[in-house]
Amino acid sequence: MTFIWILLAIVVVVAIFGITIYNRLVALRQAVNQAWGDIDVQLKQRYDLIPNLVETVKGYASHERETLEAVTQARQQAIDASSLQDQQQAENLLTGALRQLFAVAEAYPDLKANQNFLELQRELSDVENKIAAARRFFNNSVAELNTAVEQFPAVLFAAPLGFSKKEYFEVDVDDRAKVEAAPDVSF
């Protein structure tokens, strides 16, 4: 009879322990999802600003068609991205295209003095800062989830319960050079 009580107590402790681990993993997964939602909101704001910025530059720099088209195409790729990896690549391209657009704007003093352009540039800079902060928060949430999924004893429960490691949202090593490189502007 004592053996049955001991066995029952062990089963109850393991069940409580499993439930605790499961609830922690669920909370961490929700934090990752919420953090991605924050990034998504900021990216949508960025996408909404870009057409206005392109139109403003277009009025001053109509012969910079290639740069304007590159920004528009990069924006569309970012909107259409379906996976985290596609989103990362598209965002890297968009960041590079926007850098090129601002480099073109440097060559037009009237455009640089245009209040509408300056306001759009300020708003875009603000959104970029918010995106960077949201990415840091997302990556921190992913790190917490990934650590929890790999730690013992959660590692015993994670895979069978459907929890797996998530990817970070960061610039790829190959794309980092493209994003950080000075834009090529020719007239």
Side-chain angles (χ1 to χ4, degrees), residues 8-28:
L8 184 61
I10 291 172
V11 169
V12 168
V13 167
V14 168
I16 290 172
F17 194 66
I19 290 169
T20 303
I21 289 173
Y22 177 78
N23 287 340
R24 180 168 185 261
L25 292 173
V26 167
L28 291 171

Side-chain angles (χ1 to χ4, degrees), residues 34-157:
Q34 178 187 2
W36 178 252
D38 291 345
I39 289 175
D40 198 40
V41 166
Q42 299 304 323
L43 292 176
K44 284 184 174 125
Q45 277 187 312
R46 181 187 198 198
Y47 303 152
D48 290 344
L49 285 172
I50 290 170
N52 295 332
L53 191 62
V54 168
E55 286 300 315
T56 302
V57 173
K58 197 183 285 185
Y60 286 89
S62 59
H63 65 280
E64 299 293 342
R65 183 180 193 94
E66 187 176 305
T67 302
L68 297 172
E69 286 177 0
V71 171
T72 303
Q73 288 173 346
R75 174 186 177 264
Q76 194 58 48
Q77 280 181 327
I79 290 172
D80 294 341
S82 58
S83 70
L84 181 61
Q85 188 174 19
D86 290 345
Q87 188 77 45
Q88 284 177 231
Q89 290 173 348
E91 289 302 320
N92 293 337
L93 287 173
L94 182 56
T95 298
L98 286 171
R99 287 181 49 144
Q100 195 122 13
L101 180 68
F102 287 124
V104 165
E106 289 294 318
Y108 296 92
D110 290 344
L111 175 58
K112 286 182 6 181
N114 180 292
Q115 289 302 315
N116 190 29
F117 178 76
L118 292 174
E119 179 63 20
L120 289 169
Q121 193 174 23
R122 188 196 60 72
E123 285 181 42
L124 188 59
S125 177
D126 184 47
V127 169
E128 294 291 341
N129 290 335
K130 289 177 182 176
I131 290 171
R135 281 183 183 171
R136 283 191 301 274
F137 183 73
F138 174 79
N139 286 339
N140 184 50
S141 297
V142 167
E144 287 182 33
L145 176 64
N146 290 348
T147 300
V149 165
E150 292 181 338
Q151 286 179 329
F152 185 81
V155 70
L156 303 173
F157 296 94

